[in-house]
């Protein structure tokens, strides 16, 4: 055929899982042979494509098809999926490095989904990673590895909940990150953003000033402080206007109506 029978080049890319979302045998075999970023062409015989029946009206019977595939990215979730399907007792039998690797994979999945603006799905992956790390005890000499992994996931969760417009939860995860590293500029920044959304301006300023102290030339932090100053100025102006209205003397119209009321009575 002169024209492609199908194309997803102009459609939004999405994760597709081997063995579940990809139903063509040839396509699955082809993908398993590719590297990240590779563009390849495959010629599939009917057995590896649409079989003897084809897929009318676009694909006739016994059709050999040409596929052009670009592998943008991939994540190996097989190990992670198998591990997460185990009970907590079974998971405890594995060494710490295995748990850290699975948690890192879950976090990578969350990052991918976050970049696709799928914030709810990203949150689910991050929470899976955090649960694995919290459930696993480690000897004192390796505890810092668990804490470092937890810190990254907590920062991701705080940012994700900001995107989901749930600042209270974002603040909670940000504060948990600060328990691990009280000078972490990113955690301080996320807490400041959350407090600003909650209109807790003093708390927002405290967090953002602490973040600025750690990273004085960070544009995001400095811009957030400018935004805070602007919001707080608008807030105080509105409060002044409201107080002025509350305590302003009654106008002549009010006096006249009061006088009329007394006369009629």
């Amino acid at each position: 055929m002169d024209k492609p029978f199908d194309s997803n080049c102009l459609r939004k890319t999405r994760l597709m899982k081997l063995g579940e979302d990809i139903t063509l045998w040839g396509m699955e075999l082809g993908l398993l042979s590719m590297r990240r970023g590779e563009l390849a062409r495959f010629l599939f015989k009917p057995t590896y494509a649409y079989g003897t029946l084809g897929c009318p009206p676009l694909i006739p019977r016994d059709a050999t098809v040409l596929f052009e595939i670009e592998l943008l990215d991939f994540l190996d979730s097989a190990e992670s999926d198998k591990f997460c399907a185990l009970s907590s007792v079974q998971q405890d039998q594995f060494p710490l490095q295995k748990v850290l690797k699975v948690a890192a994979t879950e976090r990578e999945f969350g990052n991918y989904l976050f970049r696709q603006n799928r914030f709810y799905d990203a949150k689910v992956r991050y929470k899976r990673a955090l649960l694995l790390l919290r459930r696993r005890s480690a000897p004192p000499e390796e505890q810092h590895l668990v804490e470092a992994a937890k810190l990254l996931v907590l920062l991701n969760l705080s940012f994700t909940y900001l995107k989901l417009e749930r600042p209270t939860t974002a603040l909670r995860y940000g504060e948990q990150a600060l328990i691990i590293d009280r000078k972490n500029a990113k955690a301080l920044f996320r807490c400041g953003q959350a407090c600003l959304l909650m209109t807790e301006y003093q708390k927002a300023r405290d967090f953002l000033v602490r973040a600025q102290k750690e990273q004085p030339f960070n544009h995001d932090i400095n811009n957030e402080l400018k935004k805070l100053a602007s919001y707080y100025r608008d807030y105080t102006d509105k409060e002044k206007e409201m107080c002025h209205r509350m305590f302003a003397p009654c106008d002549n119209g009010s006096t006249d109506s009061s006088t009329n009321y007394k006369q009629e009575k």
Side-chain angles (χ1 to χ4, degrees):
M1 297 171 64
D2 294 330
K3 295 181 181 181
F5 60 84
D6 189 26
S7 174
N8 71 349
C9 290
L10 299 178
R11 297 199 293 266
K12 186 177 181 180
T13 57
R14 64 184 182 91
L15 276 175
M16 299 178 71
K17 194 167 186 177
L18 292 173
E20 294 183 14
D21 301 311
I22 298 172
T23 55
L24 290 188
W25 186 20
M27 187 176 175
E28 184 157 335
L29 292 174
L31 283 166
L32 288 169
S33 72
M34 295 177 68
R35 293 171 295 183
R36 184 182 282 107
E38 183 180 354
L39 178 66
R41 286 181 176 175
F42 298 96
L43 199 62
F44 298 142
K45 294 289 186 180
T47 307
Y48 293 90
Y50 296 95
T52 57
L53 297 178
C55 188
L58 292 175
I59 302 166
R61 297 168 59 89
D62 290 314
T64 297
V65 295
L66 176 67
F67 266 61
E68 184 176 273
I69 302 173
E70 183 179 5
L71 183 58
L72 302 175
D73 201 358
F74 69 86
L75 291 166
D76 186 359
S77 67
E79 185 179 19
S80 174
D81 290 341
K82 288 178 182 177
F83 186 84
C84 291
L86 299 174
S87 68
S88 57
V89 175
Q90 291 171 315
Q91 290 176 0
D92 288 340
Q93 306 303 315
F94 288 87
L96 176 62
Q97 291 302 323
K98 173 79 170 182
V99 178
L100 293 173
K101 183 180 179 183
V102 172
T105 301
E106 289 296 314
R107 180 173 166 268
E108 286 176 18
F109 253 111
N111 291 344
Y112 175 85
L113 294 165
F114 187 95
R115 290 193 295 270
Q116 298 288 317
N117 293 328
R118 294 167 59 183
F119 303 122
Y120 183 86
D121 295 329
K123 174 203 71 172
V124 172
R125 289 289 182 172
Y126 292 143
K127 282 193 168 184
R128 279 177 66 172
L130 187 61
L131 180 62
L132 289 171
L133 295 168
R134 281 178 167 169
R135 203 161 55 191
R136 184 56 184 259
S137 58
E141 63 273 14
E142 292 184 319
Q143 186 61 34
H144 70 282
L145 298 174
V146 178
E147 295 299 298
K150 279 165 58 177
L151 177 62
L152 294 175
V153 178
L154 288 167
L155 290 171
N156 289 143
L157 277 166
S158 183
F159 194 18
T160 303
Y161 274 103
L162 284 173
K163 292 292 186 179
L164 290 169
E165 298 181 353
R166 293 175 60 183
T168 305
T169 310
L171 176 61
R172 186 172 75 244
Y173 282 115
E175 289 177 330
Q176 289 176 25
L178 289 173
I179 293 173
I180 298 173
D181 181 4
R182 65 186 183 87
K183 292 187 176 182
N184 188 281
K186 193 170 285 187
L188 292 165
F189 178 56
R190 299 291 176 232
C191 289
Q193 286 181 300
C195 289
L196 182 56
L197 289 171
M198 296 160 63
T199 65
E200 295 188 14
Y201 298 123
Q202 187 56 53
K203 283 182 69 176
R205 185 180 183 282
D206 292 342
F207 281 121
L208 292 172
V209 167
R210 286 169 61 192
Q212 188 185 51
K213 185 178 178 181
E214 299 302 322
Q215 294 186 6
F217 303 107
N218 185 299
H219 292 295
D220 291 332
I221 296 171
N222 292 330
N223 287 338
E224 200 72 9
L225 277 165
K226 290 177 183 176
K227 187 196 294 186
L228 170 62
S230 175
Y231 282 14
Y232 186 70
R233 188 164 52 248
D234 291 343
Y235 170 74
T236 53
D237 287 345
K238 287 177 181 176
E239 276 211 328
K240 287 178 183 176
E241 184 180 351
M242 185 173 67
C243 290
H244 177 72
R245 288 178 178 176
M246 287 174 62
F247 297 106
C250 297
D251 57 21
N252 291 332
S254 299
T255 306
D256 290 340
S257 89
S258 175
T259 304
N260 291 338
Y261 172 77
K262 289 177 181 179
Q263 288 173 346
E264 287 170 6
K265 186 176 179 182

